[in-house]
Amino acid sequence: MSTGTYKPQIHTHYLPHLSLSFARHTNALNETFVLLSSDYTKSLHLQTDRFLDFHTAGGLHYTARIPRYGRDLIYDRHSTEALVPSVGVNADGNGEVFRLNLEVGRFMKGYEVDVGGDDLATVGGGALQGGINTGAVNTASVAEDSHNLLAFGTSLGTVEFWDSRSRNRVGILSSPQDASIDGRSEITALQFHRSGLELATGTSNGLIYLYDLRSPIPILKKDQGYGFAIKNLIYLDSGTSTRAQTSEPKILSSDKRIIKIWDKRNGTPWTSVEPAVDLNHVEWCKDSGMLLTANEGKQQHAFFIPQLGPAPKWCAFLDNIVEEMAEDPNDPNAFGKSSAGEVYDNFKFLTLPQLRQLNLDHLIGTTSLLRPYMHGYFVAQKLYEEARLISNPDLWQEQRAKSIQEKINKERESRIRGNKKVAVKVNRKLAEKILEREEKNERRRAKRVLEKGGDDDMLMDIDQPVPAAAAAAAAAPEDAAAGGEDKPTVLNDPRFARLFQDEDFEVDEESHEFNAINPSTQRLPKGLTAVEEEELAEHKGSSSDESSDEDERDHQQPSKQSWKDKSVDNTRISSSSYKKSGHQSQRGGPPPKMVGSSSNRKGAQQSRDRSFGDRVANLTVRQRPVNNGGTVVVGEKQVTFAPERKGKGRRDGKGGEDDGQRHDRRKMKDRRSASGNVFRKM
């Protein structure tokens, strides 16, 4: 989160996406702000018009006004109080630090700090809020990680310590005599060390002092060099105590011109950053080398120092850029030409939590054994194995015993459990069919793995009838669907659970729809009844000459008679007349043949045995009269797919054929039939 001007607004960025989450405008400029939660959802902003704005994810939640202008804002998490150091004095002539209790929701009695008057001669009640050189409490700091003491820096150059539990002043630290150059040196920056025993103070003339709380004399003095007021002091401590003991301790100090990082033990400069515009605030991403600055430019500045630490997780791509730019082979964080081929050979990638588990995090930044990369480090394989053995001496034996036990359990499971039936209530055949299909796919996958020389864990016994995973799914599909690690199938999918449990979803295999979809599962009919035999005999006795000729052909082929005459219903597709035309029924039979129809029925049996090519070669051209008196050239034979009626005609009640109601298809043989079954009775 960052705040800016023109117009006064708040920007919140979502770092994993490196994008702006939202922008929100305010009524006045932000002096400073604090985040009350671990994310952006709760924040408290100190405005320049004496207002405290409480913001949530939805917008401005509440505003409260303070009596005088605030200079700084901190949050005491132990007492849930927002502390606002202010300028000016109260009725008693003391400066005030306003206390807003966020749990109770009201202002409490503030901390009274001695800030002097409006000039050097007057102290106390003569001070004016808006006068020149008015006394003020400029900054504050709290030791959250240790004793939770509160420190307030004043315009007199003193630091007062208060205990939040008893709300009493416990000590006053005066500035050194040489701290004041022009007669007045104010405290503008304060920072506690995480141990709580050290304190860093920054003055308005660019001097930095390090104190041990057990002594009023500073242990180190550092000059920023430009004479501007110190804005930020940050202890660059690592996240773990082991790294803090071995790595070189550093302090970051900044004014509006430059950022300096130096050794806190002797004040030796380590590095510095000087941007092109003035600085207002500097933030450090903990346990990384990333620095973010709020400045007077249009854009925020981000500086990355690889030697200070790795890049944060949300911009891990910076590590790759550093590797490409680095050329010094002696730099432990650089990969030059001399080690270009050794970057990934015999190295193990470990993250920071894994390094802490192996007690190797103290090597970060101090040796070349750990090479930073992305969000972790590359460690030599030998060092990694030795560290594992040191941290757990029985690791090799435990791993060996574990692998042996896994092999025993696998053999025991295949020997004892075996093949179990599918535990379903309905549609058992469907479940067994699905399971069989899964087993075939698993065997096929295992063969491919064996052909490619896969890993030992992926190898499977091809001769084994049922894999372990399939057997487990077959034995208990409910357990697999409840949250097992098996591959999701129809059996263990909760969406299809009622298909194998509810009787309403049972598949009726005797229905007509099932037989139409699954013709291979139909059963062969039994013998004909007496009524069916009588109707069949009547049908044969009343057939035409052409039908009798075809019956004689059918009698000459006894092998084909077994699949004919199975039904006597003329309305069904599997009728006797339809089968005689050469069509194959659903129950099987010889394939259909295309034959030529001739106007001359004599010698049909001999021409039937000839091939179509021989008959075409012997065609002769002849003419025949037509109804209109003209002639048309035709061949001896014609081949057509138009069906021709050859069955018995429908008879009326007197026994005569009803020619008035039925069309003579032999006279209309040139017209294409509209029947859907084109090959009927050819």
Side-chain angles (χ1 to χ4, degrees):
M1 180 177 290
S2 59
T3 60
T5 59
Y6 308 115
K7 298 177 181 180
Q9 54 186 322
I10 301 171
H11 283 185
T12 301
H13 296 265
Y14 185 61
L15 295 180
H17 292 173
L18 297 179
S19 61
L20 178 65
S21 181
F22 65 85
R24 185 178 301 162
H25 292 273
T26 57
N27 295 328
L29 296 178
N30 261 10
E31 183 74 24
T32 183
F33 67 92
V34 293
L35 295 175
L36 303 179
S37 60
S38 59
D39 54 3
Y40 72 96
T41 54
K42 295 180 182 180
S43 60
L44 177 59
H45 300 257
L46 175 63
Q47 306 287 333
T48 56
D49 58 351
R50 295 190 297 163
F51 274 98
L52 289 174
D53 291 353
F54 293 86
H55 285 261
T56 61
L60 179 61
H61 178 69
Y62 185 75
T63 60
R65 196 170 189 182
I66 56 179
R68 288 186 297 277
Y69 294 98
R71 289 290 184 89
D72 197 4
L73 175 65
I74 63 171
Y75 178 60
D76 186 6
R77 300 184 183 275
H78 292 273
S79 59
T80 66
E81 291 181 352
L83 305 178
V84 185
S86 62
V87 61
V89 295
N90 58 7
D92 298 332
N94 296 320
E96 263 192 306
V97 177
F98 298 110
R99 296 169 53 207
L100 177 58
N101 193 300
L102 302 184
E103 183 180 6
V104 180
R106 65 185 180 90
F107 283 95
M108 313 297 288
K109 183 180 179 180
Y111 298 114
E112 295 184 352
V113 182
D114 185 11
V115 296
D118 58 351
D119 52 35
L120 296 177
T122 305
V123 177
L128 298 176
Q129 179 175 339
I132 301 175
N133 295 329
T134 304
V137 182
N138 293 328
T139 183
S141 180
V142 57
E144 294 183 351
D145 300 331
S146 54
H147 43 66
N148 203 54
L149 275 182
L150 302 176
F152 303 114
T154 66
S155 58
L156 296 178
T158 60
V159 179
E160 293 193 7
F161 298 94
W162 288 72
D163 190 352
S164 60
R165 296 170 295 182
S166 62
R167 293 181 296 279
N168 292 325
R169 183 188 295 110
V170 296
I172 299 177
L173 181 63
S174 300
S175 59
Q177 296 180 358
D178 57 347
S180 177
I181 299 176
D182 56 354
R184 189 177 183 87
S185 177
E186 301 180 7
I187 301 296
T188 58
L190 285 176
Q191 181 65 35
F192 274 103
H193 190 264
R194 59 180 298 176
S195 63
L197 298 178
E198 296 182 10
L199 177 69
T201 64
T203 63
S204 58
N205 49 18
L207 297 179
I208 304 162
Y209 293 93
L210 299 185
Y211 289 93
D212 191 325
L213 294 185
R214 294 164 290 190
S215 174
I217 302 175
I219 58 177
L220 183 64
K221 175 185 175 182
K222 179 69 175 178
D223 189 359
Q224 189 75 359
Y226 286 93
F228 299 114
I230 302 299
K231 293 182 176 292
N232 293 99
L233 290 173
I234 302 175
Y235 281 92
L236 302 179
D237 295 328
S238 58
T240 59
S241 59
T242 55
R243 288 178 56 188
Q245 294 172 0
T246 56
S247 60
E248 298 177 359
K250 299 178 181 62
I251 291 181
L252 182 145
S253 60
S254 67
D255 56 12
K256 71 174 185 179
R257 183 66 60 83
I258 193 171
I259 301 173
K260 286 188 176 182
I261 301 178
W262 40 278
D263 193 341
K264 75 172 187 178
R265 295 175 297 183
N266 50 20
T268 303
W270 189 66
T271 188
S272 62
V273 179
E274 188 173 2
V277 293
D278 292 344
L279 298 173
N280 293 325
H281 189 78
V282 178
E283 279 293 335
W284 173 57
C285 297
K286 293 184 178 180
D287 295 332
S288 68
M290 177 68 68
L291 299 177
L292 298 174
T293 65
N295 51 67
E296 293 294 333
K298 293 183 179 180
Q299 296 180 347
Q300 301 180 35
H301 290 174
F303 301 97
F304 178 55
I305 306 175
Q307 287 77 6
L308 191 62
K313 292 183 179 180
W314 47 270
C315 59
F317 57 87
L318 293 179
D319 288 327
N320 295 336
I321 301 177
V322 172
E323 293 176 13
E324 295 175 359
M325 297 176 62
E327 298 179 355
D328 186 8
N330 297 324
D331 188 356
N333 299 311
F335 304 108
K337 299 181 180 179
S338 60
S339 58
E342 302 175 359
V343 176
Y344 303 103
D345 296 343
N346 299 325
F347 277 86
K348 177 72 175 179
F349 179 79
L350 298 177
T351 60
L352 186 57
Q354 293 175 344
L355 287 176
R356 294 173 182 172
Q357 185 178 2
L358 297 176
N359 297 325
L360 295 177
D361 54 344
H362 65 279
L363 301 177
I364 298 176
T366 60
T367 178
S368 61
L369 297 176
L370 302 184
R371 300 182 178 181
Y373 182 77
M374 300 294 285
H375 60 282
Y377 299 87
F378 277 114
V379 184
Q381 187 69 27
K382 293 183 179 180
L383 177 61
Y384 169 71
E385 294 176 357
E386 292 179 0
R388 288 185 63 191
L389 290 178
I390 293 174
S391 61
N392 189 4
D394 300 331
L395 180 64
W396 181 80
Q397 297 180 358
E398 293 178 0
Q399 188 69 20
R400 182 174 181 273
K402 184 179 179 180
S403 61
I404 293 175
Q405 188 65 29
E406 288 179 356
K407 292 182 179 179
I408 293 175
N409 294 338
K410 186 176 181 180
E411 295 179 357
R412 184 180 300 168
E413 181 180 5
S414 62
R415 182 170 62 253
I416 296 177
R417 293 183 65 177
N419 299 334
K420 291 187 177 182
K421 296 183 178 180
V422 182
V424 295
K425 296 182 180 179
V426 296
N427 298 330
R428 182 179 298 275
K429 292 185 178 181
L430 177 60
E432 292 177 354
K433 184 178 180 181
I434 295 174
L435 184 61
E436 183 180 359
R437 186 186 307 165
E438 294 177 0
E439 293 174 2
K440 290 182 179 179
N441 295 335
E442 191 68 20
R443 292 194 185 97
R444 193 178 298 110
R445 188 188 67 84
K447 290 180 179 179
R448 291 197 301 265
V449 172
L450 290 176
E451 291 176 357
K452 296 181 180 180
D455 194 3
D456 295 340
D457 298 336
M458 299 177 62
L459 296 180
M460 298 176 60
D461 189 4
I462 302 179
D463 299 333
Q464 186 177 356
V466 181
E478 295 86 356
D479 297 340
E485 298 180 356
D486 296 337
K487 184 179 180 181
T489 58
V490 178
L491 295 178
N492 55 21
D493 197 331
R495 297 177 296 176
F496 305 100
R498 298 180 60 187
L499 180 62
F500 304 100
Q501 302 296 332
D502 195 349
E503 296 181 357
D504 295 338
F505 294 92
E506 185 177 1
V507 178
D508 186 10
E509 298 184 0
E510 302 296 333
S511 62
H512 175 71
E513 292 80 3
F514 182 83
N515 293 332
I517 298 175
N518 304 277
S520 61
T521 59
Q522 298 180 9
R523 299 178 181 177
L524 295 176
K526 298 180 181 179
L528 300 178
T529 61
V531 179
E532 294 176 347
E533 291 179 355
E534 184 179 355
E535 291 181 357
L536 183 60
E538 181 183 0
H539 174 70
K540 289 182 178 181
S542 61
S543 61
S544 61
D545 297 340
E546 295 175 350
S547 300
S548 62
D549 295 341
E550 292 184 0
D551 291 340
E552 292 178 0
R553 300 173 198 165
D554 295 338
H555 287 296
Q556 294 176 3
Q557 300 178 358
S559 60
K560 300 181 181 179
Q561 189 67 21
S562 58
W563 57 272
K564 293 183 179 180
D565 298 338
K566 294 295 182 182
S567 175
V568 297
D569 191 0
N570 294 333
T571 62
R572 303 184 63 176
I573 297 178
S574 59
S575 61
S576 175
S577 60
Y578 179 57
K579 293 176 182 179
K580 290 179 181 179
S581 63
H583 290 272
Q584 184 179 3
S585 66
Q586 293 181 355
R587 299 186 181 90
K593 293 183 178 181
M594 184 179 68
V595 298
S597 61
S598 175
S599 58
N600 185 13
R601 300 293 301 172
K602 185 177 180 180
Q605 184 68 23
Q606 290 78 6
S607 63
R608 181 172 175 272
D609 297 334
R610 298 173 58 190
S611 64
F612 186 79
D614 296 340
R615 283 180 279 177
V616 172
N618 297 330
L619 289 178
T620 58
V621 180
R622 64 185 181 88
Q623 297 180 351
R624 67 174 183 177
V626 292
N627 294 334
N628 55 3
T631 59
V632 63
V633 179
V634 298
E636 182 182 0
K637 294 183 180 180
Q638 61 180 0
V639 179
T640 178
F641 292 96
E644 184 179 358
R645 181 74 176 180
K646 294 184 181 180
K648 65 178 182 178
R650 186 176 62 182
R651 301 181 181 276
D652 55 5
K654 298 181 181 181
E657 186 175 1
D658 191 3
D659 296 332
Q661 296 182 0
R662 294 186 59 86
H663 297 282
D664 190 358
R665 297 185 179 275
R666 289 175 292 181
K667 297 179 180 180
M668 303 173 63
K669 62 181 179 178
D670 293 335
R671 179 179 298 179
R672 183 180 296 273
S673 174
S675 173
N677 195 344
V678 182
F679 294 97
R680 183 185 296 274
K681 296 183 178 60
M682 287 191 59

